[in-house]
Amino acid sequence: MQEVIDYFESIDPVLAAFYATLFTWGLTAAGAALVFLFKGMNRALLDGMLGFTGGVMVAASFWSLLAPGIEMSPGDGFVKVIPAAVGFLLGSLFIFGLDKILPHLHINFKETEKEGIKTPWHRTTLLTLAITLHNIPEGLAVGVLFGGVAAGFEGASIGGAVALALGIGLQNFPEGFAVAMPLRRQGLSRTKSFMYGQASALVEPIAAVLGAWAVMTFQPILPYALSFAAGAMIFVVVEEVIPETQQDKYTDIATMGFIGGFIVMMTLDVGLG
């Protein structure tokens, strides 16, 4: 692992953010590729994997984003936490706006429960867009953290950025499967199901590059940017991921998956950061 950290330290931070999110996209594609090996997916497994995703996102929001953002903010007391509070609110409002505009359909929801602008788009497209909405703040978070390291902010480290990318990649693996398998059950070919599944994470490298560039160009925004990404991820977890796990009888499995995901991400961040 130290060799990986050393490599990311030696290259341009924007390129590092891009490579890191290519890794997270790659694990999404690997998860989606399971559609070639399995004929179906156990609903309990799906809910457990979605819970794991939520746990990783919540842990990353605090350990990788909010805590460093507060640490590097100037001032003391209430003044020190203002950038985190403002950024967190703006991040949640950003995803709130996308949620109201972008047509999408969550994995475990019925056709009548589509969200966003009314559109005749097929269910396959709407399911892919729902996971794409998850991935925007994830890619942004990785990019912002790499940008913070390049800007020399105390509290931002290559190890922490690598840990965040690794944690997001781990939870992207089941996400890719969770998109591809429902599409396969609806009659799409295995190849098309795979293509839709992996495509849901293509937005991550784009968001990462934009995040890294923004922080390096406008360095004072870093505490706000870290909290912005955290607010966006928490909104996604509360508004989308958790409700998706509550549509059937496997809520306990989803809860334990959430706890497992939180522990994994916390361990990675503290251990590597």
Side-chain angles (χ1 to χ4, degrees):
M1 182 58 70
Q2 187 58 48
E3 290 80 4
V4 174
I5 294 174
D6 292 341
Y7 172 74
F8 278 108
E9 284 181 334
S10 68
I11 62 176
D12 179 81
V14 173
L15 193 60
F18 179 73
Y19 285 164
T21 45
L22 278 185
F23 165 76
T24 63
W25 164 79
L27 284 183
T28 305
L34 293 178
V35 75
F36 292 106
L37 303 178
F38 298 97
K39 294 182 179 180
M41 184 196 305
N42 183 279
R43 181 61 181 268
L45 177 62
L46 173 61
D47 286 344
M49 291 192 301
L50 289 173
F52 180 88
T53 293
V56 168
M57 293 175 75
V58 169
S61 296
F62 176 75
W63 296 100
S64 300
L65 302 171
L66 277 176
I70 293 172
E71 181 182 343
M72 65 184 62
S73 297
D76 296 298
F78 288 112
V79 174
K80 192 173 183 65
V81 80
I82 286 175
V86 171
F88 193 88
L89 176 62
L90 292 177
S92 61
L93 290 176
F94 172 69
I95 297 298
F96 173 79
L98 284 181
D99 185 68
K100 297 302 179 185
I101 296 172
L102 185 69
H104 62 284
L105 177 65
H106 302 308
I107 294 170
N108 289 331
F109 283 61
K110 300 176 182 177
E111 189 78 26
T112 56
E113 297 177 288
K114 293 184 291 188
E115 298 183 23
I117 295 174
K118 300 292 184 181
T119 174
W121 293 350
H122 195 272
R123 181 181 175 91
T124 55
T125 303
L126 297 176
L127 285 169
T128 304
L129 288 176
I131 299 298
T132 299
L133 195 61
H134 293 197
N135 290 329
I136 292 173
E138 294 170 4
L140 184 64
V142 173
V144 165
L145 206 50
F146 273 107
V149 174
F153 278 87
E154 185 178 354
S157 69
I158 285 290
V162 170
L164 178 61
L166 182 57
I168 288 175
L170 289 176
Q171 60 95 23
N172 275 4
F173 181 82
E175 273 192 356
F177 190 42
V179 176
M181 190 52 67
L183 299 180
R184 174 61 179 162
R185 287 204 306 264
Q186 292 176 33
L188 267 70
S189 68
R190 295 182 188 274
T191 300
K192 284 188 175 181
S193 298
F194 164 75
M195 293 303 295
Y196 275 106
Q198 61 83 29
S200 64
L202 287 176
V203 70
E204 287 192 4
I206 299 171
V209 168
L210 289 175
W213 172 84
V215 168
M216 294 173 63
T217 305
F218 309 102
Q219 294 186 17
I221 72 169
L222 180 59
Y224 295 91
L226 288 169
S227 303
F228 182 97
M233 286 211 284
I234 292 297
F235 184 92
V236 166
V237 172
V238 176
E239 203 275 337
E240 299 182 12
V241 177
I242 292 177
E244 287 174 15
T245 67
Q246 305 300 303
Q247 300 297 307
D248 212 315
K249 59 185 179 180
Y250 302 110
T251 55
D252 289 343
I253 294 175
T255 301
M256 294 310 298
F258 182 98
I259 292 172
F262 190 98
I263 291 172
V264 167
M265 187 64 235
M266 178 179 65
T267 303
L268 285 173
D269 193 87
V270 174
L272 296 178

